Amino acid sequence: MLMNAPATFIQSYIDDLNDELNQLKPGAALTRIQAAWLGTCLTCILLMNSVCWAKFERASLGDCKVAALSWVFRKASIPWDWLLRVSVVLILKRYGITEGVLAFDESDRARSKSTKRIYKVYKQKHKGSGGYVNGQTIV
């Protein structure tokens, strides 16, 4: 699939997000370049079903380079904490959600006995065999 502009509904979402961000915290609005980058990334995530800079570059036919995409993610002064808050508020408002129940699922994910490069892996009891494996607890 080829991508040269953000999807219309994603662009609308980013505009609403930016307006809400500016109302909640004046001066924290996204710049034009940051909004375009976010629109490109969200559209690519939707099209590619993954978060991979190389796939994004291929989808844009080289218009968006891997180095530029990852640089904006790592170095730009995007207010990520405020973006998360505002996006949750925006979704709750859009769908009229006023109350709900929050549930946690603390599942153990068994990996292998010799895992060295996966983050937050620790030794845990394997219920099936009675032995031990390295694993992660996903919440």
Side-chain angles (χ1 to χ4, degrees), residues 3 7 17 37 43 48-50 55 66 106 108 117 124:
M3 199 231 28
L17 188 70
W37 174 84
T43 303
M48 303 295 132
N49 198 25
S50 74
K55 285 183 181 181
V66 172
E106 194 172 352
D108 291 337
R117 295 185 180 164
Q124 56 185 214

Side-chain angles (χ1 to χ4, degrees), residues 111-118 121 123 132-135:
R111 298 298 177 194
S112 72
K113 288 195 175 231
S114 62
T115 306
K116 297 201 183 338
R117 295 185 180 164
I118 299 177
V121 173
K123 186 173 272 199
Y132 290 93
V133 294
N134 286 335

Side-chain angles (χ1 to χ4, degrees), residues 53-117:
W53 302 125
K55 285 183 181 181
F56 293 2
E57 181 178 13
R58 287 192 299 273
S60 69
L61 293 178
D63 286 344
C64 301
K65 300 291 183 194
V66 172
L69 287 168
S70 64
W71 185 89
V72 173
F73 181 71
R74 289 181 285 115
K75 300 292 183 179
S77 59
I78 297 174
W80 293 110
D81 53 340
W82 282 96
L83 269 180
L84 177 63
R85 287 181 195 175
V86 168
S87 62
V88 169
V89 166
L90 190 63
I91 289 170
L92 293 175
K93 278 184 185 177
R94 183 166 289 173
Y95 292 104
I97 300 170
T98 57
E99 61 184 50
V101 176
L102 185 61
F104 289 100
D105 176 20
E106 194 172 352
S107 303
D108 291 337
R109 304 278 186 219
R111 298 298 177 194
S112 72
K113 288 195 175 231
S114 62
T115 306
K116 297 201 183 338
R117 295 185 180 164

